[in-house]
Amino acid sequence: MSTAVQTEVSGGIGKRSLGQRLIGANTFWIALVLLALIAVFTVLAPNEFATVFTFQTLLIETSVLLVLSVGMTFVIITSGIDLSVGSVLIFSGMVCGKTMEALSGGNASAAGWGVITVGLIAAVLAGTAWGLINGFLIAVAKIPPLIVTLGSMGAALGAAYLLNGGSDVRSVPTTLNRTLGYGTSFGGIPNLVLVAAVITLIGAWLLHTTRFGRYTYAVGSNAEAARRSGIAVTAHLLKVYLLTGFLAGVAGFLSLAYYASTTITAHTNDNLNAIAATVMGGTSLFGGVGSVLGTVIGVFIPAVLKKGFNITHVQDFWQMIAVGAELVAAVWFDQRRRRARNSR
């Protein structure tokens, strides 16, 4: 990797103290916002908000979105965008449900783990296929990511509707719903949360400790410099969108396990929610900056707001205003940080 790319990726970290790096990091400030929200709602409703049940519910409700957002982190760090992840999730869940129905003679409720495993494979392959399409059109055909994923967003959703005549698949193995959807392990930790946590940890390891992660930062910082330093930028972008599609497929399977239905209307805004969570977590829309930890924090901010507003009987419309303001503030903070860095 060239010196220019290394400098851009590291951001001059070695020249600053730990305290300076901590205070200058988006993740630090967004974590303070999350802690402040938790503290406020705990004071306002200590017997309702600050309970094990509330936090357990929060974790379950954010699990599927977190898996989507991990993939979105990689995409946005490369200075790209993926508007299709919500539709790909729906399509993957639909393919999974229809596959399990077909293998069970039209009624998958009593199906076992053999059928469930085939359904999982079908969901992952369906999501990966859309990732391949997006990656090819963006990396090879050089079509802007916004246009490609806007098109695939509509195409994947339309294909999902076509698969089942515009209605949800509601025949889901009871074993899947009870075990993964609502089952618990290790003294009460939801299995859905455990799966999402493992995927998040793998994503963090991939981004922060491997060559793949370093290349992701380099491509987002300066694609041309990365190319001149020997990085196969086209191939890497293709892999990033493949990863995002793969994770959308996994998210579709997890959603099916939790809701025992494809719940098409429940996921139509997941693409925007994943982008908002990733950006609020400190990942820069300009590329080259971001972390999985920040994304985790960004996912929980809207969830805490929604749960807190519901408990304190505040209208849901205020949540939209608060999340929108937080998103704008995160982008503004990122722009200030970039200008300060570029002026040095």
Side-chain angles (χ1 to χ4, degrees):
M1 190 183 299
S2 69
T3 303
V5 174
Q6 288 176 331
T7 302
E8 179 71 17
V9 172
S10 63
I13 286 177
K15 298 178 181 178
R16 296 183 294 166
S17 67
L18 178 60
Q20 289 174 323
R21 279 183 280 162
L22 185 63
I23 294 174
N26 286 9
T27 306
F28 174 77
W29 295 105
I30 207 69
L32 287 183
V33 171
L34 178 60
L35 292 174
L37 288 174
I38 293 173
V40 167
F41 288 125
T42 299
V43 170
L44 293 176
N47 297 326
E48 296 179 75
F49 185 82
T51 65
V52 174
F53 176 77
T54 297
F55 286 102
Q56 188 180 58
T57 305
L58 271 173
L59 290 171
I60 293 173
E61 291 175 348
T62 56
S63 294
V64 174
L65 180 60
L66 180 58
V67 173
L68 281 182
S69 300
V70 169
M72 189 66 72
T73 303
F74 283 84
V75 168
I76 295 181
I77 287 176
T78 64
S79 195
I81 200 75
D82 191 344
L83 296 174
S84 69
V85 289
S87 296
V88 173
L89 180 157
I90 294 169
F91 178 80
S92 301
M94 187 68 73
V95 169
C96 177
K98 295 296 289 183
T99 299
M100 292 190 293
E101 275 190 349
L103 293 174
S104 307
N107 184 9
S109 299
W113 284 108
V115 171
I116 293 172
T117 301
V118 175
L120 170 60
I121 294 171
V124 169
L125 289 177
T128 304
W130 280 107
L132 177 62
I133 293 171
N134 287 339
F136 177 82
L137 293 175
I138 293 167
V140 179
K142 307 299 182 184
I143 303 174
L146 179 67
I147 302 302
V148 170
T149 58
L150 183 62
S152 57
M153 176 181 71
L157 184 59
Y161 279 120
L162 287 172
L163 284 175
N164 203 45
S167 59
D168 285 305
V169 170
R170 302 186 185 278
S171 178
V172 175
T174 303
T175 300
L176 176 63
N177 182 243
R178 289 179 177 175
T179 304
L180 180 58
Y182 286 92
T184 60
S185 300
F186 306 111
I189 302 176
N191 291 332
L192 196 71
V193 174
L194 289 174
V195 172
V198 169
I199 292 172
T200 302
L201 289 173
I202 293 173
W205 168 79
L206 187 64
L207 180 62
H208 299 293
T209 67
T210 69
R211 180 182 296 177
F212 184 86
R214 293 194 297 272
Y215 285 3
T216 300
Y217 282 112
V219 170
S221 296
N222 191 321
E224 184 57 33
R227 184 177 289 107
R228 292 184 180 184
S229 67
I231 297 174
V233 174
T234 298
H236 188 78
L237 285 175
L238 185 60
K239 293 175 185 176
V240 167
Y241 283 94
L242 274 173
L243 174 63
T244 307
F246 170 84
L247 290 176
V250 173
F253 178 78
L254 296 178
S255 174
L256 196 66
Y258 180 63
Y259 292 107
S261 168
T262 47
T263 56
I264 294 175
T265 56
H267 296 292
T268 51
N269 290 324
D270 279 3
N271 55 344
L272 299 180
N273 292 335
I275 293 170
T278 303
V279 173
M280 281 193 292
T283 299
S284 174
L285 285 170
F286 301 98
V289 175
S291 70
V292 172
L293 174 59
T295 295
V296 172
I297 298 171
V299 165
F300 276 102
I301 286 179
V304 168
L305 280 171
K306 181 178 180 180
K307 184 67 67 177
F309 284 164
N310 288 341
I311 290 175
T312 55
H313 307 292
V314 177
Q315 287 183 307
D316 289 342
F317 309 119
W318 285 104
Q319 180 203 349
M320 302 177 187
I321 296 173
V323 171
E326 180 67 32
L327 180 60
V328 172
V331 175
W332 174 78
F333 187 87
D334 176 54
Q335 287 183 320
R336 283 196 60 190
R337 182 188 55 77
R338 291 178 70 88
R339 291 194 193 103
R341 184 184 63 190
N342 293 336
S343 66
R344 289 198 295 266

